Amino acid sequence: MPKKTGTSGTRGTAKVRNPKSEIRNSPLVGVIMGSKSDWETMRHADEMLTEFGVAHECHVMSAHRTPQLASEFSANAASRGIEVIIAAAGGAAHLAGVVAAHTILPVLGVPMKSDALNGMDSLLATVQMPAGIPVGTLAIGKPGAINAALFAVAILANSRPELRTKLAEFRKRQEEIVRAATVP
Ligand code: RP5
């Protein structure tokens, strides 16, 4: 059963994930997605941010179904203390680009795997931003969701030594798992 995601990003009633975060109590990362149907993929970003103890929030909002909400959320994110936005969408996936147009915060785009074109449409719509308004685009689907969270952690770690240490430990654990792996 997917966890509940709110849509009230600009109204101060959103649930803060990881409220006991040792990094900070108010959201540092805003994770938004075009549809509730994206949550099954984007919960992996939520889980990774939680693993790193980064306070964040998750919302459903759409560039085409709720354009005003998406614009307000992006325009207000920096003043609310958010430092990175992760935006996921599928199909004609313009959410990350629209968000990036309204903020100078770093925006990471995650293309969702679509039924019609297996996510190629989402990938191209997210990655092919004309020069001037960048969207840092990750891989299609679950790997992109996980890496968007890790990328956000890396950005935040520039000014937070405790996060830098956690990221280095994460890499070390990953390396140890691969080194210890055997095949039948
Ligand atoms: C996009 O359309 C969403 O990001 C989603 O990936 C896709 C399909 O949405 P639903 O029709 O499942 O709500 O806006």
Side-chain angles (χ1 to χ4, degrees), residues 52-183:
F52 277 90
V54 173
H56 61 286
E57 57 186 22
C58 299
H59 306 287
V60 175
M61 64 186 73
S62 161
H64 47 274
R65 291 170 177 156
T66 62
Q68 199 177 338
L69 179 60
S71 308
E72 283 172 5
F73 175 84
S74 328
N76 295 328
S79 63
R80 293 178 52 238
I82 287 177
E83 293 187 22
V84 184
I85 296 175
I86 296 173
H94 37 227
L95 181 61
V98 166
V99 166
H102 287 285
T103 181
I104 58 169
L105 292 175
V107 176
L108 305 177
V110 185
M112 295 294 94
K113 191 163 180 176
S114 56
D115 287 339
L117 296 170
N118 256 341
M120 274 307 290
D121 45 353
S122 322
L123 173 64
L124 295 177
T126 306
V127 79
Q128 286 294 81
M129 284 297 288
I133 306 290
V135 167
T137 304
L138 288 302
I140 297 169
K142 179 179 171 183
I146 292 171
N147 280 345
L150 290 170
F151 207 140
V153 169
I155 292 169
L156 297 171
N158 278 328
S159 55
R160 293 175 178 83
E162 67 273 43
L163 263 187
R164 209 156 42 235
T165 304
K166 283 186 176 190
L167 195 50
E169 287 167 357
F170 174 87
R171 291 281 183 100
K172 180 130 191 53
R173 279 199 305 279
Q174 195 167 238
E175 181 182 346
E176 283 165 2
I177 290 167
V178 175
R179 280 179 180 273
T182 55
V183 288

